[in-house]
Amino acid sequence: MKIDIISVVPGLLESPFAHSIMKRARDKGLLEVTCYNLRDYTNYPRAQVDDYQFGGGAGMVMMIEPLVNAIESLQAKTNYDEIIYLTPDGERLNQKTANQLSLKNNLLLICGHYKGIDERVREHFITKEISIGDYVLSGGELAAAVMVDAIGRLIPGVLNDETSALTDSFQDNLLAPPVYTRPEVFRDWKVPDILLSGNHAKVEEWRQEQALQRTKERRPDLLD
Ligand code: ADE
């Protein structure tokens, strides 16, 4: 899968994909992430990419020309399945959307800044708008990083058996059950006996019960 990202602060996106599972996905050739600096696509002096909003009001707006230059020059090289704008007023990202997007070949992500991007870009180019939660970030970069991570780990071959996404929270609309590792006893806090029993069927049953109980307590909305 190829993910291209347009940003005014591409430096913010250097580290998130350079470690751990995202690094492995890239090293294996399963995920290719490239960040493009919007300022490389502006013809305005001093690499300007934002301007005052028509009608007045506080806050700058990302201008249409640099964005369209960037989008169209990338489109000339890649046929994108989706052009996604990260924005607090987008559709809330969840595991289902991450699953769906992980099956695509080419995605283009646009990171907003300031008051957002000129609405005409949204009307004419953006195919999907995604929010990572009901709070406002300084820009779309961290949201893009979250989204790429959530999608990237679902690409077939990225996770091995031990880290399989099938046992993640949300994958079956349930939160994940509690997990433990050595030592069996720390202070007087013991690991549940069932996990040490070696009875795989019982362990699985216990995990299912725990997942259900945890979901009922913490996120009953997932069971609706
Ligand atoms: N940009 C600013 N806030 C955001 C959010 N919550 N989700 C996605 N993009 C954003």
Side-chain angles (χ1 to χ4, degrees), residues 78-99:
T78 305
N79 190 12
Y80 294 105
D81 299 297
E82 301 278 5
I83 302 184
I84 302 174
Y85 175 43
L86 283 310
T87 174
D89 59 4
E91 153 197 339
R92 188 105 55 86
L93 181 65
N94 58 24
Q95 196 63 29
K96 183 167 163 236
T97 309
N99 281 330

Side-chain angles (χ1 to χ4, degrees), residues 105-158:
N105 294 318
N106 300 307
L107 300 177
L108 176 59
L109 312 187
I110 317 277
C111 303
H113 261 265
Y114 321 112
K115 280 283 163 200
I117 64 176
D118 190 302
E119 187 67 19
R120 292 167 290 183
V121 178
R122 298 172 79 159
E123 286 166 9
H124 297 285
F125 290 91
I126 302 296
T127 60
K128 207 172 186 54
E129 303 193 326
I130 289 188
S131 160
I132 63 159
D134 289 345
Y135 41 82
V136 179
L137 302 166
S138 319
E141 285 74 14
L142 297 182
V146 166
M147 201 176 94
V148 172
D149 190 294
I151 294 171
R153 61 198 298 287
L154 297 171
I155 297 170
V158 169

Side-chain angles (χ1 to χ4, degrees), residues 18-198:
H19 306 277
S20 183
I21 290 170
M22 290 304 105
K23 177 177 185 323
R24 184 153 24 105
R26 295 173 86 181
D27 290 348
K28 279 187 182 171
L30 298 169
L31 175 65
E32 189 188 326
V33 185
T34 314
C35 298
Y36 294 89
N37 190 339
L38 185 63
R39 294 187 198 280
D40 294 338
Y41 296 88
T42 181
N43 297 317
Y44 285 90
R46 293 183 303 282
Q48 184 185 354
V49 291
D50 61 329
D51 208 342
Y52 296 101
Q53 49 179 314
F54 281 128
M60 306 293 271
V61 174
M62 287 169 72
M63 303 165 89
I64 189 165
E65 293 120 307
L67 280 166
V68 171
N69 286 344
I71 293 170
E72 287 184 339
S73 94
L74 294 174
Q75 274 180 322
K77 290 183 283 181
T78 305
N79 190 12
Y80 294 105
D81 299 297
E82 301 278 5
I83 302 184
I84 302 174
Y85 175 43
L86 283 310
T87 174
D89 59 4
E91 153 197 339
R92 188 105 55 86
L93 181 65
N94 58 24
Q95 196 63 29
K96 183 167 163 236
T97 309
N99 281 330
Q100 285 165 352
L101 291 174
S102 74
L103 302 173
K104 308 285 185 191
N105 294 318
N106 300 307
L107 300 177
L108 176 59
L109 312 187
I110 317 277
C111 303
H113 261 265
Y114 321 112
K115 280 283 163 200
I117 64 176
D118 190 302
E119 187 67 19
R120 292 167 290 183
V121 178
R122 298 172 79 159
E123 286 166 9
H124 297 285
F125 290 91
I126 302 296
T127 60
K128 207 172 186 54
E129 303 193 326
I130 289 188
S131 160
I132 63 159
D134 289 345
Y135 41 82
V136 179
L137 302 166
S138 319
E141 285 74 14
L142 297 182
V146 166
M147 201 176 94
V148 172
D149 190 294
I151 294 171
R153 61 198 298 287
L154 297 171
I155 297 170
V158 169
L159 297 184
N160 51 32
D161 272 357
E162 271 108 77
T163 50
S164 165
L166 293 174
T167 54
D168 282 348
S169 275
F170 304 113
Q171 212 50 270
D172 46 9
N173 263 351
L174 290 178
L175 300 182
V179 291
Y180 299 86
T181 186
R182 288 189 296 175
E184 283 175 28
V185 183
F186 175 77
R187 303 200 176 144
D188 58 350
W189 307 328
K190 243 188 126 295
V191 170
D193 288 334
I194 184 79
L195 296 179
L196 311 172
S197 68

